[in-house]
Amino acid sequence: MNSEPSQQPSFRIRWQGQIEAVQCRAWVWRYKMDNRTHHHLGFNLFVKGEADGREGRFIVAVSDTQHTKLQFRIGDVFKGTAWPCSKAKHDIADYHRAGGFKALSRADQQTDPAGPPFTELMPPIEVFQRCGPRMLDAKLWRKQCFACMWANKSAVEIEYKFGKVKRYRKETFCYGPRSCLSYDMGPPREVQYFDTFPSIDDGWMDDLCTEQRGDED
Ligand code: SF4
């Protein structure tokens, strides 16, 4: 939804629409050069439809438990309730605390899941925690990767002045196989600190974040 947070209602709204993408839901803590911690919260549904009486595209945050039960997939049409994320700094979603789900129609099972993009049913959140993410070019995330189960856009909290000042932004990541031919890291990312030059995350932290894969792709 394009409305500013201050314009959003602070009460439960109704939404309905078709799911265009399902991605894991996470937030990232960054501190200077060598700290990038990904916290996995559940899943984001990217929906085209109507929310709070307005038509458009919006993101609904759901929990791992809700996803395990309802098995959301691209093409499903759902309706439900949720609350605006007006002050939720660790979510990129427009709405969270979703409930009252009702499936209005379900998409067919994928018969040809070969990717990229990979569009099988999303695995549980533990799989994302185990794989770990690499930085993904933001343009790729928006275009070729948007429907991919391994794509992610996270809220990022930067420890700008330790314990006193934080800064917030959004970044894009990929949890998919290292062999994916669509992958590109994009430009290195600056991590600012108040009294020094910014640190540069040029990809070496991706190796740390994915080291638990071992020899797996
Ligand atoms: S680069 Fe990552 S997100 Fe994009 S298609 Fe490949 S696995 Fe999916």
Side-chain angles (χ1 to χ4, degrees), residues 66-77:
Q66 288 170 327
H67 179 60
T68 301
K69 184 176 170 198
L70 293 165
Q71 303 280 292
F72 301 105
R73 62 168 64 239
I74 293 170
D76 286 347
V77 179

Side-chain angles (χ1 to χ4, degrees), residues 4-198:
E4 294 298 319
S6 59
Q7 297 170 323
Q8 291 184 331
S10 59
F11 49 82
R12 194 169 56 168
I13 59 97
R14 294 186 185 282
W15 62 272
Q16 174 175 326
Q18 185 166 49
I19 296 173
E20 296 186 318
V22 185
Q23 298 185 3
C24 83
R25 174 183 164 215
W27 72 275
V28 180
W29 181 74
R30 278 190 181 276
Y31 172 55
K32 293 190 173 176
M33 179 162 159
D34 51 357
N35 287 275
R36 195 179 95 199
T37 308
H38 295 253
H39 302 268
H40 300 92
L41 306 171
F43 296 89
N44 282 322
L45 310 180
F46 292 76
V47 180
K48 183 181 181 189
E50 186 179 311
D52 193 29
R54 287 169 294 165
E55 290 194 1
R57 287 186 162 86
F58 51 91
I59 305 171
V60 179
V62 301
S63 68
D64 189 37
T65 306
Q66 288 170 327
H67 179 60
T68 301
K69 184 176 170 198
L70 293 165
Q71 303 280 292
F72 301 105
R73 62 168 64 239
I74 293 170
D76 286 347
V77 179
F78 266 88
K79 72 175 184 179
T81 60
W83 293 73
C85 283
S86 52
K87 292 183 183 168
K89 291 178 173 159
H90 293 161
D91 259 315
I92 65 155
D94 299 290
Y95 301 103
H96 62 171
R97 294 167 58 196
F101 293 101
K102 182 167 183 199
L104 302 179
S105 69
R106 302 300 307 253
D108 292 338
Q109 294 276 330
Q110 293 283 334
T111 52
D112 180 15
F118 303 96
T119 54
E120 301 110 282
L121 192 61
M122 299 285 280
I125 201 70
E126 292 79 24
V127 173
F128 292 85
Q129 285 165 336
R130 184 171 56 78
C131 289
R134 296 180 295 163
M135 296 191 292
L136 175 67
D137 182 82
K139 283 195 201 109
L140 274 179
W141 178 86
R142 258 196 315 278
K143 295 185 175 169
Q144 291 97 316
C145 299
F146 181 66
C148 184
M149 60 194 277
W150 300 119
N152 164 260
K153 183 184 244 187
S154 287
V156 177
E157 180 178 276
I158 296 172
E159 201 72 41
Y160 180 71
K161 187 172 184 181
F162 201 91
K164 293 184 175 163
V165 182
K166 296 175 191 293
R167 288 189 167 179
Y168 295 90
R169 69 186 186 198
K170 295 170 187 172
E171 293 184 36
T172 47
F173 297 93
C174 164
Y175 288 76
R178 294 187 186 106
S179 58
C180 179
L181 296 177
S182 292
Y183 179 77
D184 188 274
M185 185 194 92
R189 299 178 187 174
E190 289 190 352
V191 184
Q192 298 86 0
Y193 200 71
F194 82 105
D195 65 349
T196 184
F197 290 112

